[in-house]
Every structure is written in structure tokens, then in C-alpha cells.
Amino acid sequence: MVEENISTPVVDKTTSCIIAKSLNKYNKPLSKYKFDETYNLLKVQYLCSLDESEFTSKFWDADELDQCGEEWDMDKYIKKVREGLEDIVKQARKKGITGDFITIPKKYKRSKKGRHFVEGFGLQQCQNKLRKFLSGDSSYDIDIVKCHWNIIVKLCEFHDITCNRIKKFLKNPVQIMQEQGVDKHDLLKMLYLDNYKSDNEFMTKLHKTKCSVFEDIMDTKHFKSMKFKPSDKSKKNKNTTSSVMSQYLQHLESEILISALNEFGDDVEVLMFDGFQPRKSVDVKKMLADLKKLTGFEWTQKDNTYDIDGWKEEELSDYMTWANDFEKNVFAVNEPKRCYAVNYDIC
């Protein structure tokens, strides 16, 4: 175990002493909790027109893990997403929106000392393919480079903990991952599992370093002051260390984002966990540079496009579109004094 360096600042609840720069320096809450998401209505209608098997084959990714390294529950996910998309079509119809896009305010709520989660359905809850398909027309996608790994390094530097193997990996992670035959899902699993097993020597050694670092971080004053407790699931699965450390890293991650969002909140459409999606009207290169200066972390722009060939030519047969077209062609919705109107062109 490492001893606290007596020359370090007194540990406080703001966490500003942990990661230099502007890690929520004044312990401010998020200044705004509502952000406007923009949806391409034609794409939403197209998605609603797909039956469940078509939707699953085009937009479900069985290999994708959530931000905590957990597998998605496919049935619950598909049901919630399809209900959310149908609700967007209903909102557009109710508001009489006839353009290509609809903007819907989404409210977020922080989970105790952890992350900010969208209330109800939102793009934050979508898998990558679907989120990119729905939001790529209106927003960029930016996040902190290797967020939790870089937070770990900052913690180690502050507490004088050795983590040379992790630092070496972060100097050129893309090249090393390619050389070692691992992807980000492999890294997520390893980071959040106490008893990680692998035939890959690189991953085994990195896991060993991670375990040692976690043990030392958990012995620091600031970590102890947060009083995180392992989840019931982690107790059952004997994964308690990763449970409390993931909570701690998510707390620090969220504190970084609060500073960023309080600075650039008016340009944000979607809150993610290790970043956010700003609208395309921003100068994204300047924003990335400003974020690095503000937070002390490297930020990057990720690809935010996913397309389905020929989706525009698909016949939209979802119920709400059919009902809207039926009223427009048959009923005199704009002539309340008449009971009905006949469009002889369709007879």
C-alpha cells in the first residue's frame, strides 16, 4: 500500500485536488438539466415501419457492451426503443410538425454521486448504430480519450502510485491494441472484472497492474471519504473491487463533464457518460482545443454516422404514418363544418 504524501493538498469533497485543472473546481452542480435532442423524422418513421425482426437485424449489436462493461438485455432494449420512437412520431403529429426534423427537450438526473441519466427514452440509451443513425444529421460526437484509463493515471500521479504499464499503453493505445489483437470491449471487460481471465499475455499483465493500482487507490483518503459500497450483484459475482472502483471513476468522470457542460451547455444536444454530442453549428476543432485547456484531458471527435442503403425508398407503413395520411386524404381535418371530404383522385 502507498502512504499519503504529506505535501499533497487536504482531501476534500470537491475532488478538485485529485485531477488538477478544472475538475468541478467549485463543486458546482450541473447548471442546466434539459438539453434539446434533434431527430430526423423520416428516419424515425422508417424505424417505426420495420417489424421487430427487421429492426433487430439492422440495428441490434449483440457484441456491444454498455458503458459499464455489461451486456445489454436485448428484449427490454428493443421494446423500450421501439416505444420511444413511436412516441416521437405521435409528438410530431400532435404538434403538427411537417418538416424533416423534430426537437425534443430531454431532462437528465444525476444518480447520487455518479452519472447523469436521461429520464425516459433518449439517444443516450441507444446502442451506437441506432444513435448514430438518428443523430448524425444534427450533431457531432466527442468524448474524453480513454477516459477511465486516463483518470486512473491522474489519480496515480497525484497519490504517487506506480502505473508504468498503463502509461505505456496510453502512449499509443490504437497501435498496441492492434498488435495485441484486442478491442475496446476486451478492455472494458478487463477493467471491470476482478477475476478476469485471458490467454492474451498482454491483457493478463495489464489486468495484474490494474488490480494493484485499484488496491492502492482504494486506500487513499479521498476514495474512503466517498463511502462507495459494492452492489448486490457484485457481491454475488465476487466482483466487489471493480464495483466500487467503477463508481469512483464514474463520479470523477461526471465531475469533469460538469465543468465542460457548464461551459458549453448551450451547444449540447445529448449527454453521454464520457462525453457529449454538440450540435453541428459549433466549431468542433476549437471546442476540442478549449476542452483540453479547460479540463486537462485530451478529447476526440468520433464518427457519428451510420446509414442503411435504400432506407429512403422504403415504404413507410407504421400505423401513425398511415393514420396521418388517411386523415389527410379522406377527412376534412381543416374543415370542421364538414363531416368528411372525398379525394376523387384516390377513388
Side-chain angles (χ1 to χ4, degrees), residues 10-274:
V10 176
V11 177
D12 61 26
K13 292 295 182 70
T14 68
T15 71
S16 60
C17 58
I18 300 295
I19 305 181
K21 291 284 183 178
S22 61
L23 184 89
N24 203 4
K25 185 176 179 181
Y26 303 108
N27 199 23
K28 291 181 179 179
L30 197 60
S31 60
K32 59 182 289 187
Y33 284 84
K34 283 187 178 181
F35 297 85
D36 293 333
E37 293 187 351
T38 301
Y39 292 85
N40 184 316
L41 262 179
L42 293 177
K43 288 185 175 180
V44 174
Q45 291 172 342
Y46 160 72
L47 290 165
C48 289
S49 73
L50 300 175
D51 61 35
E52 188 167 323
S53 62
E54 289 178 309
F55 184 92
T56 303
S57 66
K58 295 177 187 290
F59 292 96
W60 168 252
D61 186 349
D63 295 326
E64 184 174 326
L65 301 175
D66 65 20
Q67 292 289 328
C68 295
E70 300 283 345
E71 293 183 357
W72 297 76
D73 184 317
M74 187 185 79
D75 291 337
K76 289 183 179 179
Y77 170 77
I78 297 295
K79 181 180 179 182
K80 185 167 187 177
V81 164
R82 287 172 67 83
E83 288 176 349
L85 294 171
E86 289 172 3
D87 184 62
I88 292 174
V89 176
K90 291 177 183 177
Q91 288 190 53
R93 183 166 176 259
K94 184 177 181 180
K95 296 176 181 179
I97 296 175
T98 57
D100 292 341
F101 296 91
I102 181 173
T103 299
I104 302 177
K106 297 291 180 178
K107 188 175 181 180
Y108 293 77
K109 184 177 181 180
R110 190 169 190 181
S111 176
K112 296 182 180 179
K113 293 173 284 189
R115 290 167 161 171
H116 293 86
F117 292 91
V118 66
E119 296 184 357
F121 172 75
L123 289 166
Q124 185 195 71
Q125 299 173 329
C126 297
Q127 284 195 331
N128 285 327
K129 289 180 181 179
L130 182 60
R131 179 168 50 81
K132 291 176 179 180
F133 183 71
L134 288 169
S135 65
D137 297 313
S138 60
S139 62
Y140 296 117
D141 186 8
I142 62 176
D143 63 17
I144 301 170
V145 176
K146 292 288 181 290
C147 182
H148 284 190
W149 290 103
N150 277 301
I151 290 177
I152 289 169
V153 169
K154 294 283 188 180
L155 289 169
C156 288
E157 290 174 345
F158 179 80
H159 293 298
D160 196 23
I161 298 170
T162 301
C163 64
N164 291 334
R165 192 180 299 279
I166 296 175
K167 287 182 177 180
K168 183 178 179 181
F169 163 64
L170 290 176
K171 284 183 178 179
N172 199 340
V174 175
Q175 180 179 330
I176 292 175
M177 288 167 68
Q178 290 176 344
E179 292 174 350
Q180 299 299 329
V182 300
D183 58 27
K184 67 177 184 179
H185 295 155
D186 297 322
L187 288 172
L188 272 174
K189 288 180 180 178
M190 185 270 287
L191 185 60
Y192 295 116
L193 286 177
D194 291 354
N195 299 308
Y196 176 78
K197 303 293 183 183
S198 175
D199 295 329
N200 187 305
E201 184 180 1
F202 166 78
M203 293 292 282
T204 299
K205 289 181 178 179
L206 191 60
H207 170 65
K208 184 178 180 180
T209 298
K210 177 213 74 174
C211 290
S212 175
V213 167
F214 277 9
E215 186 178 354
D216 288 343
I217 290 175
M218 290 170 63
D219 198 44
T220 62
K221 290 181 181 178
H222 186 263
F223 178 87
K224 291 178 179 179
S225 75
M226 302 303 292
K227 298 181 179 180
F228 289 116
K229 296 180 180 179
S231 66
D232 292 338
K233 182 179 179 180
S234 70
K235 292 177 183 177
K236 182 179 179 181
N237 296 334
K238 297 181 180 180
N239 198 48
T240 55
T241 296
S242 290
S243 176
V244 293
M245 276 303 301
S246 66
Q247 293 175 58
Y248 188 46
L249 294 173
Q250 288 169 18
H251 164 73
L252 296 174
E253 162 197 86
S254 296
E255 294 294 296
I256 297 168
L257 283 173
I258 287 174
S259 290
L261 293 167
N262 284 349
E263 183 73 18
F264 300 104
D266 291 341
D267 296 317
V268 174
E269 290 205 353
V270 185
L271 267 62
M272 300 302 291
F273 298 130
D274 56 357

Side-chain angles (χ1 to χ4, degrees), residues 311-347:
W311 74 266
K312 292 181 180 179
E313 285 72 47
E314 292 279 351
E315 183 178 352
L316 303 181
S317 57
D318 65 286
Y319 172 75
M320 292 305 299
T321 301
W322 174 85
N324 192 43
D325 288 343
F326 183 83
E327 285 191 356
K328 189 164 55 178
N329 290 326
V330 179
F331 289 98
V333 292
N334 294 319
E335 298 182 63
K337 292 183 179 180
R338 296 178 59 184
C339 296
Y340 63 88
V342 178
N343 184 341
Y344 292 98
D345 291 334
I346 65 173
C347 293

